[in-house]
């Protein structure tokens, strides 16, 4: 069975990808600036999320039934990276769409 947070994180990624490829079509994924932005986001996400979710003294606890159990650097649940990707990408897609709409007005 797919865990609750895992399913939600994967669904968020799929929704964002469908939003870009089927609706908005901003071309964001083809821009180096987007990928540089994602590296910067990861540069902050890893130490902060790692500190919050470290298993030896967690600030944030996840129920075992809610996550896949796969944890990468510093005990970060892999779902956090999926959620982060979806959240940041959705904001950037909508920001870009708004910028284009303003330019066309």
């Amino acid at each position: 069975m797919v865990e609750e947070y895992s399913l939600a994180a994967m669904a968020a990624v799929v929704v964002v990808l469908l939003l870009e490829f089927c609706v908005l079509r901003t071309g964001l994924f083809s821009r180096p600036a987007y990928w540089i932005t994602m590296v910067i986001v990861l540069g902050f996400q890893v130490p902060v999320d790692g500190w919050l979710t470290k298993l030896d003294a967690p600030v944030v606890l996840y129920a075992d039934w809610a996550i896949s159990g796969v944890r990468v650097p510093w005990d970060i649940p892999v779902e956090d990276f999926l959620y982060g990707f979806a959240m940041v990408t959705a904001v950037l897609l909508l920001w870009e769409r708004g910028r284009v709409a303003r330019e066309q007005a």
Side-chain angles (χ1 to χ4, degrees):
M1 182 176 145
V2 176
E3 290 75 9
E4 188 174 303
Y5 185 38
S6 302
L7 182 60
M10 288 185 280
V13 169
V14 169
V15 167
V16 166
L17 293 174
L18 288 172
L19 183 66
E20 169 58 4
F21 293 122
C22 298
V23 179
L24 299 177
R25 299 177 188 209
T26 67
L28 188 68
F29 295 137
S30 66
R31 298 184 193 153
Y34 167 75
W35 296 105
I36 291 168
T37 299
M38 294 309 290
V39 168
I40 293 168
V41 167
L42 279 174
F44 285 96
Q45 182 180 5
V46 168
V48 172
D49 205 351
W51 178 75
L52 290 171
T53 61
K54 63 185 178 279
L55 292 175
D56 60 341
V59 175
V60 176
L61 296 171
Y62 292 92
D64 290 337
W65 56 264
I67 63 172
S68 66
V70 177
R71 292 177 177 256
V72 283
W74 297 319
D75 302 324
I76 302 167
V78 70
E79 292 87 352
D80 284 3
F81 292 105
L82 297 173
Y83 173 76
F85 166 84
M87 179 180 59
V88 171
T89 301
V91 168
L92 293 173
L93 288 171
L94 295 173
W95 185 285
E96 180 63 14
R97 182 62 168 190
R99 183 191 66 78
V100 170
R102 283 189 307 278
E103 287 177 357
Q104 293 175 347

